[in-house]
PDB file of all heavy atoms in Angstrom:
ATOM      1  N   LEU N 125      -2.196   7.550   6.518  1.00 96.00           N
ATOM      2  CA  LEU N 125      -3.321   6.840   7.142  1.00 96.00           C
ATOM      3  C   LEU N 125      -3.173   6.825   8.656  1.00 96.00           C
ATOM      4  O   LEU N 125      -2.282   6.139   9.177  1.00 96.00           O
ATOM      5  CB  LEU N 125      -3.330   5.381   6.695  1.00 96.00           C
ATOM      6  CG  LEU N 125      -3.798   5.074   5.290  1.00 96.00           C
ATOM      7  CD1 LEU N 125      -3.667   3.588   5.045  1.00 96.00           C
ATOM      8  CD2 LEU N 125      -5.244   5.516   5.151  1.00 96.00           C
ATOM      9  N   LEU N 127      -4.789   5.411  11.455  1.00 97.00           N
ATOM     10  CA  LEU N 127      -5.768   4.481  12.045  1.00 97.00           C
ATOM     11  C   LEU N 127      -5.220   3.922  13.369  1.00 97.00           C
ATOM     12  O   LEU N 127      -5.803   4.135  14.427  1.00 97.00           O
ATOM     13  CB  LEU N 127      -6.078   3.332  11.080  1.00 97.00           C
ATOM     14  CG  LEU N 127      -6.609   3.719   9.685  1.00 97.00           C
ATOM     15  CD1 LEU N 127      -6.768   2.488   8.818  1.00 97.00           C
ATOM     16  CD2 LEU N 127      -7.938   4.438   9.784  1.00 97.00           C
ATOM     17  N   SER N 128      -4.077   3.217  13.301  1.00 98.00           N
ATOM     18  CA  SER N 128      -3.563   2.485  14.470  1.00 98.00           C
ATOM     19  C   SER N 128      -3.189   3.421  15.613  1.00 98.00           C
ATOM     20  O   SER N 128      -2.727   4.550  15.399  1.00 98.00           O
ATOM     21  CB  SER N 128      -2.327   1.683  14.085  1.00 98.00           C
ATOM     22  OG  SER N 128      -2.600   0.867  12.981  1.00 98.00           O
ATOM     23  N   SER N 134      -5.055  -4.463  15.651  1.00 96.00           N
ATOM     24  CA  SER N 134      -6.011  -5.432  15.092  1.00 96.00           C
ATOM     25  C   SER N 134      -7.427  -5.098  15.554  1.00 96.00           C
ATOM     26  O   SER N 134      -8.374  -5.150  14.768  1.00 96.00           O
ATOM     27  CB  SER N 134      -5.656  -6.847  15.551  1.00 96.00           C
ATOM     28  OG  SER N 134      -4.371  -7.177  15.116  1.00 96.00           O
ATOM     29  N   TRP N 158       2.570   4.256  14.050  1.00 97.00           N
ATOM     30  CA  TRP N 158       2.930   3.529  12.818  1.00 97.00           C
ATOM     31  C   TRP N 158       2.409   4.256  11.575  1.00 97.00           C
ATOM     32  O   TRP N 158       2.149   3.617  10.562  1.00 97.00           O
ATOM     33  CB  TRP N 158       2.394   2.082  12.781  1.00 97.00           C
ATOM     34  CG  TRP N 158       2.457   1.305  14.047  1.00 97.00           C
ATOM     35  CD1 TRP N 158       1.406   0.669  14.652  1.00 97.00           C
ATOM     36  CD2 TRP N 158       3.602   1.032  14.857  1.00 97.00           C
ATOM     37  NE1 TRP N 158       1.831   0.041  15.786  1.00 97.00           N
ATOM     38  CE2 TRP N 158       3.173   0.241  15.938  1.00 97.00           C
ATOM     39  CE3 TRP N 158       4.947   1.389  14.774  1.00 97.00           C
ATOM     40  CZ2 TRP N 158       4.040  -0.191  16.936  1.00 97.00           C
ATOM     41  CZ3 TRP N 158       5.809   0.961  15.765  1.00 97.00           C
ATOM     42  CH2 TRP N 158       5.354   0.180  16.815  1.00 97.00           C
ATOM     43  N   SER N 160       2.566   5.602   8.375  1.00 96.00           N
ATOM     44  CA  SER N 160       3.594   5.569   7.319  1.00 96.00           C
ATOM     45  C   SER N 160       3.655   6.902   6.585  1.00 96.00           C
ATOM     46  O   SER N 160       2.622   7.452   6.204  1.00 96.00           O
ATOM     47  CB  SER N 160       3.284   4.464   6.305  1.00 96.00           C
ATOM     48  OG  SER N 160       3.307   3.217   6.926  1.00 96.00           O
ATOM     49  N   THR N 372      -3.015  -7.948  10.080  1.00 97.00           N
ATOM     50  CA  THR N 372      -2.073  -9.071  10.236  1.00 97.00           C
ATOM     51  C   THR N 372      -2.629 -10.312   9.533  1.00 97.00           C
ATOM     52  O   THR N 372      -3.835 -10.435   9.304  1.00 97.00           O
ATOM     53  CB  THR N 372      -1.827  -9.411  11.722  1.00 97.00           C
ATOM     54  OG1 THR N 372      -3.006 -10.021  12.253  1.00 97.00           O
ATOM     55  CG2 THR N 372      -1.466  -8.176  12.543  1.00 97.00           C
ATOM     56  N   GLU N 374      -3.027 -13.184  10.743  1.00 97.00           N
ATOM     57  CA  GLU N 374      -3.991 -13.911  11.599  1.00 97.00           C
ATOM     58  C   GLU N 374      -5.392 -13.298  11.442  1.00 97.00           C
ATOM     59  O   GLU N 374      -6.391 -14.018  11.304  1.00 97.00           O
ATOM     60  CB  GLU N 374      -3.562 -13.832  13.081  1.00 97.00           C
ATOM     61  CG  GLU N 374      -2.333 -14.648  13.426  1.00 97.00           C
ATOM     62  CD  GLU N 374      -1.030 -13.977  13.006  1.00 97.00           C
ATOM     63  OE1 GLU N 374      -1.029 -12.762  12.754  1.00 97.00           O
ATOM     64  OE2 GLU N 374      -0.006 -14.689  12.908  1.00 97.00           O
ATOM     65  N   ASN N 378      -8.758 -14.980   9.855  1.00 97.00           N
ATOM     66  CA  ASN N 378     -10.068 -14.970  10.545  1.00 97.00           C
ATOM     67  C   ASN N 378     -11.162 -14.536   9.566  1.00 97.00           C
ATOM     68  O   ASN N 378     -12.267 -15.098   9.559  1.00 97.00           O
ATOM     69  CB  ASN N 378     -10.054 -13.994  11.730  1.00 97.00           C
ATOM     70  CG  ASN N 378      -9.270 -14.527  12.921  1.00 97.00           C
ATOM     71  OD1 ASN N 378      -8.912 -15.705  12.956  1.00 97.00           O
ATOM     72  ND2 ASN N 378      -8.990 -13.671  13.887  1.00 97.00           N
TER      73      ASN N 378
HETATM   74  C1  FAD L 401       5.533  -1.347   8.312  1.00 53.46           C
HETATM   75  C2  FAD L 401       4.218  -0.965   8.931  1.00 53.46           C
HETATM   76  C3  FAD L 401       3.540   0.138   8.434  1.00 53.46           C
HETATM   77  C4  FAD L 401       2.316   0.514   9.002  1.00 53.46           C
HETATM   78  N1  FAD L 401       1.688   1.635   8.532  1.00 53.46           N
HETATM   79  C5  FAD L 401       0.538   2.044   9.125  1.00 53.46           C
HETATM   80  C6  FAD L 401      -0.106   3.249   8.701  1.00 53.46           C
HETATM   81  O1  FAD L 401       0.344   3.926   7.771  1.00 53.46           O
HETATM   82  N2  FAD L 401      -1.217   3.646   9.336  1.00 53.46           N
HETATM   83  C7  FAD L 401      -1.759   2.916  10.361  1.00 53.46           C
HETATM   84  O2  FAD L 401      -2.790   3.333  10.892  1.00 53.46           O
HETATM   85  N3  FAD L 401      -1.177   1.779  10.802  1.00 53.46           N
HETATM   86  C8  FAD L 401      -0.045   1.321  10.208  1.00 53.46           C
HETATM   87  N4  FAD L 401       0.566   0.168  10.644  1.00 53.46           N
HETATM   88  C9  FAD L 401      -0.003  -0.542  11.790  1.00 53.46           C
HETATM   89  C10 FAD L 401      -0.657  -1.867  11.454  1.00 53.46           C
HETATM   90  O3  FAD L 401      -1.896  -1.665  10.830  1.00 53.46           O
HETATM   91  C11 FAD L 401      -0.774  -2.660  12.772  1.00 53.46           C
HETATM   92  O4  FAD L 401       0.543  -3.012  13.139  1.00 53.46           O
HETATM   93  C12 FAD L 401      -1.630  -3.891  12.644  1.00 53.46           C
HETATM   94  O5  FAD L 401      -2.964  -3.570  12.441  1.00 53.46           O
HETATM   95  C13 FAD L 401      -1.516  -4.778  13.907  1.00 53.46           C
HETATM   96  O6  FAD L 401      -1.767  -4.056  15.049  1.00 53.46           O
HETATM   97  P1  FAD L 401      -0.744  -4.091  16.287  1.00 53.46           P
HETATM   98  O7  FAD L 401       0.614  -3.794  15.777  1.00 53.46           O
HETATM   99  O8  FAD L 401      -1.307  -3.233  17.363  1.00 53.46           O
HETATM  100  O9  FAD L 401      -0.726  -5.614  16.764  1.00 53.46           O
HETATM  101  P2  FAD L 401      -1.806  -6.339  17.666  1.00 53.46           P
HETATM  102  O10 FAD L 401      -3.171  -6.053  17.164  1.00 53.46           O
HETATM  103  O11 FAD L 401      -1.519  -6.026  19.112  1.00 53.46           O
HETATM  104  O12 FAD L 401      -1.494  -7.858  17.380  1.00 53.46           O
HETATM  105  C14 FAD L 401      -0.396  -8.545  17.996  1.00 53.46           C
HETATM  106  C15 FAD L 401      -0.442  -9.997  17.523  1.00 53.46           C
HETATM  107  O13 FAD L 401      -1.669 -10.624  17.990  1.00 53.46           O
HETATM  108  C16 FAD L 401      -2.379 -11.181  16.878  1.00 53.46           C
HETATM  109  N5  FAD L 401      -3.830 -11.006  17.070  1.00 53.46           N
HETATM  110  C17 FAD L 401      -4.477  -9.882  17.490  1.00 53.46           C
HETATM  111  N6  FAD L 401      -5.815 -10.098  17.507  1.00 53.46           N
HETATM  112  C18 FAD L 401      -6.015 -11.373  17.075  1.00 53.46           C
HETATM  113  C19 FAD L 401      -7.183 -12.176  16.857  1.00 53.46           C
HETATM  114  N7  FAD L 401      -8.424 -11.695  17.074  1.00 53.46           N
HETATM  115  N8  FAD L 401      -7.016 -13.443  16.390  1.00 53.46           N
HETATM  116  C20 FAD L 401      -5.758 -13.938  16.164  1.00 53.46           C
HETATM  117  N9  FAD L 401      -4.616 -13.229  16.357  1.00 53.46           N
HETATM  118  C21 FAD L 401      -4.739 -11.958  16.805  1.00 53.46           C
HETATM  119  C22 FAD L 401      -1.911 -10.384  15.673  1.00 53.46           C
HETATM  120  O14 FAD L 401      -2.081 -11.129  14.484  1.00 53.46           O
HETATM  121  C23 FAD L 401      -0.444 -10.135  15.998  1.00 53.46           C
HETATM  122  O15 FAD L 401       0.336 -11.237  15.634  1.00 53.46           O
HETATM  123  C24 FAD L 401       1.777  -0.232  10.082  1.00 53.46           C
HETATM  124  C25 FAD L 401       2.462  -1.354  10.565  1.00 53.46           C
HETATM  125  C26 FAD L 401       3.669  -1.722  10.003  1.00 53.46           C
HETATM  126  C27 FAD L 401       4.381  -2.937  10.553  1.00 53.46           C
END
Side-chain angles (χ1 to χ4, degrees):
L125 285 178
L127 303 176
S128 307
S134 300
W158 320 126
S160 298
T372 71
E374 289 78 18
N378 286 348

